[in-house]
């Protein structure tokens, strides 16, 4: 049951503590909102308590009653907060101790009860402090894991953005390369149509000249035939009389013989269709070799150290001035300035040439697929290469130390020959056809072409080889 003071502060309509109480002329108080709703329902103004009609459309708010209500609510809230302290369910006493055996807070009466005989107790504040320390120790690994997840998510976000950048850039390059092919085909089409038109012009002109000559000969023969026919229509005496103006006389009869040769049948007058259409697509493809190159090894940009810059066609790598903002994906080198070829080999023989030029620091060789690319990997097995540094050449099979090589003339190109099945990796100078060194190993997994560069003088360039189209005849 509500206390007397609370009853005095209760709205008779909503039965709750007054909110913005207004005073009617009959001295009754009602919440402002409650009174307005009551009047709207009734359709006229009267007191909800005594039904006395009110002449005031906007009754005044009772500030004194409003302040009393707010003070009452504040006091009640404070009482509720004070009464929220947890008490012992058995003795209604404050829980001041913590039982170490039962792992629960107890009151002073519980401490002396049989239930807690010979138990150890700590003050609740000390027990809470110890527990918080234990939780803090357990919290630290969780915080570290959270940080790791946040960093991983950030990496994923950057990777997602980089994927879009890669797609846009690669799509642009694809379109540019196909535009070159399209332009080549358009040029080739135009050249072949031009050749067809040229042959048409030549043979049409030849036929025109032949037709004009034949027209002249036909006209001459027609004139001669008409003259002979006219003479043949005259009488015998007149026919036999000499007529200087006549075309023919018995004396010149012999000249009536036709001296013109019969018309010739022209050979090769038609368009040489076969020449223009003979294996057309093959001929164009064959000619395309002049503009298309094949490079045995192209570089994988997803493995390149952020300091390295690759060419658009992925055949050249150089050392850049600044570290690029690239995703730190597992495939990417992050310690040494290295990059791998895009295709790995797990069988067969393979060969590629690398132009090292005037570069003063480089490594060229192969690396296993499983060798960790983060940090220092030279102390682990799985890398075979020749190197050049400070004027010296050497060969290395990690983790073994390098062996120096004797090179008489500074190398401009390196030829790498891999025989995976026989476990041989050979290096030579293709300019002088000089063998440099051969490393042996029983390969058991896929290996990738490996390149390392730490010099700005000149890039490393993968050299193209001559491509050819071969036709196989039936045996």
């Amino acid at each position: 049951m509500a206390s007397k003071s609370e009853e005095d502060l209760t709205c008779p309509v909503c039965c709750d503590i007054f909110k913005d109480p207004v005073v009617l002329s009959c001295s009754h108080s009602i919440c402002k909102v409650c009174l307005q709703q009551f009047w709207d329902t009734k359709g006229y103004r009267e007191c909800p308590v005594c039904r006395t009609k009110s002449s005031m459309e906007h009754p005044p708010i009772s500030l004194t009653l409003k302040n009393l209500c707010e003070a009452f609510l504040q006091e009640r809230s404070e009482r509720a907060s004070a009464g929220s302290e947890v008490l012992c369910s058995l003795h209604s006493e404050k829980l001041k101790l913590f039982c170490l055996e039962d792992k629960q807070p107890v009151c002073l009466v519980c401490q002396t009860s049989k239930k807690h005989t010979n138990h150890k107790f700590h003050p609740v504040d000390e027990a809470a402090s110890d527990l918080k320390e234990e939780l803090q120790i357990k919290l630290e690994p969780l915080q570290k894991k959270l940080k790791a997840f946040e960093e991983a998510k950030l990496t994923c976000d950057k990777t997602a953005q980089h994927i879009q950048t890669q797609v846009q850039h690669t799509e642009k390059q694809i379109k540019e390369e196909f535009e070159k092919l399209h332009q080549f085909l358009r040029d080739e089409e135009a050249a072949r149509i031009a050749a067809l038109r040229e042959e048409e012009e030549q043979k049409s002109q030849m036929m025109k000249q032949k037709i004009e000559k034949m027209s002249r000969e036909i006209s001459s023969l027609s004139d001669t035939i008409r003259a002979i026919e006219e003479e043949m229509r005259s009488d015998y005496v007149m026919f036999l009389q000499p007529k200087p103006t006549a075309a023919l006389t018995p004396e010149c009869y012999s000249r009536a013989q036709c001296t013109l040769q019969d018309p010739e049948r022209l050979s090769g007058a038609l368009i040489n269709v076969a020449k223009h259409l003979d294996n057309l697509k093959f001929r164009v493809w064959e000619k395309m070799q002049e503009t298309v190159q094949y490079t045995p090894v192209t570089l994988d940009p997803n493995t390149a150290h952020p300091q390295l810059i690759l060419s658009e066609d992925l055949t050249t790598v150089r050392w850049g001035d600044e570290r690029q903002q690239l995703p730190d994906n597992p495939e990417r080198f992050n310690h040494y300035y290295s990059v791998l070829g895009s295709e790995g080999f797990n069988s067969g023989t393979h060969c590629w040439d690398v132009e090292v030029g005037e570069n003063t620091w480089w490594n060229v060789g192969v690396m296993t697929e499983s060798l960790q690319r983060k940090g220092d990997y030279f102390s682990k097995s799985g890398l075979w290469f020749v190197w050049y540094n400070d004027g010296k050449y050497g060969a290395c099979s990690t983790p073994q130390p390098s062996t120096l090589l004797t090179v008489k003339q500074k190398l401009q190109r390196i030829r790498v020959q891999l025989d995976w099945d026989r476990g041989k990796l050979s290096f030579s100078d293709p300019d002088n056809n000089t063998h440099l060194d051969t490393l042996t190993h029983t390969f058991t997994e896929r290996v990738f072409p490996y390149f390392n560069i730490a010099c700005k003088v000149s890039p490393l360039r993968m050299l193209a080889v001559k491509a050819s189209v071969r036709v196989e005849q039936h045996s």
Side-chain angles (χ1 to χ4, degrees):
M1 180 182 292
S3 64
K4 182 63 177 175
S5 64
E6 184 177 350
E7 194 174 291
D8 294 338
L9 302 176
T10 301
C11 172
V13 175
C14 65
C15 300
D16 202 352
I17 302 300
F18 283 116
K19 295 177 183 177
D20 296 329
V22 294
V23 181
L24 299 175
S25 57
C26 59
S27 301
H28 289 118
S29 297
I30 300 95
C31 293
K32 183 179 179 180
V33 174
C34 294
L35 179 64
Q36 190 61 49
Q37 290 177 347
F38 180 79
W39 283 357
D40 290 343
T41 303
K42 286 289 186 179
Y44 52 88
R45 296 190 293 273
E46 69 174 14
C47 174
V49 180
C50 64
R51 306 299 179 181
T52 300
K53 291 188 178 181
S54 174
S55 60
M56 294 184 293
E57 183 177 357
H58 301 289
I61 293 178
S62 174
L63 295 178
T64 302
L65 184 56
K66 180 180 179 182
N67 291 336
L68 289 173
C69 291
E70 290 177 352
F72 175 81
L73 291 173
Q74 179 66 28
E75 183 183 355
R76 187 167 70 176
S77 176
E78 291 175 355
R79 288 200 307 270
S81 298
S84 63
E85 185 176 5
V86 180
L87 302 178
C88 177
S89 60
L90 297 177
H91 309 105
S92 300
E93 296 287 337
K94 290 184 178 181
L95 301 173
K96 295 184 176 183
L97 300 174
F98 184 77
C99 178
L100 299 179
E101 278 73 16
D102 294 333
K103 302 296 182 183
Q104 64 180 19
V106 297
C107 67
L108 295 176
V109 178
C110 291
Q111 181 185 17
T112 59
S113 66
K114 292 181 179 180
K115 182 179 178 182
H116 296 281
T117 301
N118 297 326
H119 287 188
K120 292 182 179 181
F121 301 88
H122 279 175
V124 290
D125 56 345
E126 291 183 10
S129 178
D130 293 342
L131 183 58
K132 287 181 180 179
E133 289 181 2
E134 292 179 11
L135 287 176
Q136 183 62 37
I137 294 173
K138 294 181 179 180
L139 184 62
E140 289 177 359
L142 295 178
Q143 291 173 333
K144 290 181 179 179
K145 183 164 289 190
L146 174 62
K147 184 178 180 180
F149 271 98
E150 290 174 343
E151 291 176 351
K153 182 181 179 298
L154 181 61
T155 300
C156 288
D157 292 338
K158 291 181 179 179
T159 301
Q161 294 175 0
H162 189 66
I163 288 172
Q164 296 305 312
T165 302
Q166 283 184 309
V167 168
Q168 295 171 4
H169 184 67
T170 305
E171 181 178 347
K172 177 175 175 289
Q173 287 181 272
I174 290 173
K175 289 182 177 179
E176 289 175 354
E177 291 300 316
F178 270 94
E179 177 56 30
K180 292 177 183 177
L181 295 176
H182 294 159
Q183 187 60 48
F184 170 84
L185 293 175
R186 287 193 291 266
D187 293 344
E188 188 66 18
E189 176 188 9
R192 289 179 176 274
I193 291 178
L196 175 64
R197 297 302 183 196
E198 183 180 359
E199 184 181 357
E200 175 198 19
E201 178 66 22
Q202 292 174 352
K203 295 190 173 178
S204 295
Q205 184 65 26
M206 181 182 68
M207 291 305 299
K208 179 180 178 183
Q209 294 173 355
K210 187 69 176 177
I211 291 171
E212 288 176 352
K213 180 182 179 182
M214 288 182 127
S215 297
R216 289 193 299 271
E217 292 175 345
I218 289 172
S219 177
S220 176
L221 283 173
S222 297
D223 292 343
T224 301
I225 291 171
R226 282 196 300 272
I228 293 174
E229 289 177 343
E230 185 177 346
E231 286 294 322
M232 290 174 67
R233 285 194 294 269
S234 62
D235 58 27
Y236 298 118
V237 175
M238 293 297 296
F239 177 72
L240 295 174
Q241 290 293 326
K243 296 180 178 65
T245 58
L248 294 171
T249 64
E251 292 82 6
C252 62
Y253 176 78
S254 60
R255 288 185 292 175
Q257 305 298 321
C258 181
T259 60
L260 294 177
Q261 295 181 352
D262 290 339
E264 297 180 358
R265 291 182 175 272
L266 292 178
S267 177
L270 298 179
I271 296 295
N272 191 349
V273 176
K275 181 185 73 173
H276 298 287
L277 296 182
D278 175 36
N279 292 301
L280 178 60
K281 287 184 281 190
F282 176 82
R283 301 301 179 196
V284 174
W285 178 40
E286 192 176 34
K287 189 174 181 181
M288 193 178 290
Q289 293 177 89
E290 300 173 8
T291 61
V292 175
Q293 289 186 331
Y294 175 74
T295 306
V297 170
T298 55
L299 304 174
D300 183 358
N302 294 335
T303 66
H305 185 281
Q307 197 81 25
L308 300 181
I309 299 175
L310 274 57
S311 61
E312 295 286 343
D313 61 359
L314 305 179
T315 62
T316 300
V317 56
R318 63 183 177 87
W319 202 75
D321 295 326
E322 298 180 357
R323 188 183 181 96
Q324 303 171 86
Q325 296 299 318
L326 298 173
D328 188 23
N329 48 301
E331 300 87 358
R332 192 179 304 283
F333 293 96
N334 69 346
H335 184 67
Y336 294 111
Y337 304 120
S338 304
V339 62
L340 295 182
S342 60
E343 182 182 1
F345 311 114
N346 59 0
S347 64
T349 58
H350 309 273
C351 180
W352 59 94
D353 288 353
V354 184
E355 182 181 88
V356 295
E358 299 303 319
N359 205 293
T360 59
W361 189 334
W362 50 260
N363 301 340
V364 174
V366 298
M367 181 180 188
T368 59
E369 186 173 22
S370 63
L371 184 58
Q372 176 60 251
R373 299 168 196 176
K374 307 298 184 183
D376 183 4
Y377 48 78
F378 281 93
S379 59
K380 301 174 183 177
S381 176
L383 182 60
W384 303 267
F385 60 95
V386 293
W387 54 265
Y388 176 69
N389 186 14
D390 295 333
K392 296 180 180 180
Y393 293 91
C396 182
S397 298
T398 61
Q400 303 300 322
S402 296
T403 57
L404 293 178
L405 301 177
T406 301
V407 178
K408 296 181 180 180
Q409 187 176 352
K410 190 175 187 300
L411 301 176
Q412 294 296 313
R413 293 191 297 165
I414 295 291
R415 175 163 294 168
V416 184
Q417 292 176 292
L418 169 67
D419 189 335
W420 193 95
D421 300 318
R422 295 185 179 182
K424 290 184 178 181
L425 182 66
S426 299
F427 302 93
S428 60
D429 177 3
D431 294 324
N432 300 315
N433 197 24
T434 304
H435 177 260
L436 298 174
D437 195 30
T438 297
L439 303 177
T440 58
H441 178 79
T442 302
F443 298 112
T444 58
E445 62 173 298
R446 189 183 304 273
V447 295
F448 287 82
Y450 167 82
F451 310 92
N452 179 279
I453 178 174
C455 170
K456 298 181 182 178
V457 176
S458 62
L460 297 184
R461 189 185 311 277
M462 311 302 115
L463 298 179
V465 297
K466 181 175 178 59
S468 63
V469 176
R470 186 177 66 180
V471 177
E472 292 186 1
Q473 299 288 350
H474 294 295
S475 58

